[in-house]
Amino acid sequence: MNTQKIPEDMQDVRDRVDLMAGRGFTVSEEDVIKEALKTGFQSIVDEKMDGNYYTVRWDEAFHDLQVLGIDNELVGSAKPKADGPDFIKQFETNATNTWFTLDKDALAIIGR
């Protein structure tokens, strides 16, 4: 299990960017948000499954968060609403609502 704290909101994202810059790494807020959403969604899925049975990854366009099974088959995807902003923009605007949305999506995908 990853013991590093997942950024939960934009202040955490800015803090992580500053921390990484202080260590000589150049990362953008968007980079940190992408990783936070992927890692956070993985944590949500793992919690609902009582273990690490599925793997979460971004699709190639960083639009959908995909859930893959043991044989790398696509089990389902968390997708932003067709008429709304992508998950990255949603996180920037309201991180709490984004986490609630991902929690609901995980429930719908894995049925727990």
Side-chain angles (χ1 to χ4, degrees):
M1 180 81 185
N2 184 359
T3 58
Q4 190 172 19
K5 185 178 181 294
I6 298 166
E8 295 179 18
D9 57 30
M10 285 306 295
Q11 185 58 54
D12 288 349
V13 167
R14 287 188 278 281
D15 291 347
R16 177 72 52 89
V17 169
D18 290 345
L19 176 70
M20 296 302 288
R23 294 181 178 174
F25 298 99
T26 304
V27 296
S28 68
E29 286 184 359
E30 185 172 311
D31 292 334
V32 173
I33 293 168
K34 285 177 186 174
E35 185 61 27
L37 289 171
K38 182 177 82 72
T39 306
F41 191 50
Q42 180 74 61
S43 179
I44 291 167
V45 168
D46 290 350
E47 183 178 311
K48 292 192 179 311
M49 292 298 297
D50 295 321
N52 188 352
Y53 300 99
Y54 293 136
T55 301
V56 171
R57 73 173 182 203
W58 281 105
D59 68 359
E60 292 178 5
F62 292 100
H63 188 265
D64 301 348
L65 283 161
Q66 301 174 331
V67 178
L68 304 170
I70 293 170
D71 294 329
N72 228 21
E73 81 280 2
L74 182 63
V75 175
S77 295
K79 301 175 184 226
K81 292 180 182 170
D83 60 346
D86 64 29
F87 286 128
I88 297 162
K89 295 284 184 237
Q90 287 179 44
F91 186 94
E92 290 171 344
T93 303
N94 189 330
T96 301
N97 282 350
T98 307
W99 291 123
F100 283 133
T101 297
L102 290 174
D103 187 70
K104 285 191 253 177
D105 288 349
L107 186 62
I109 291 167
I110 60 178
R112 290 187 176 193

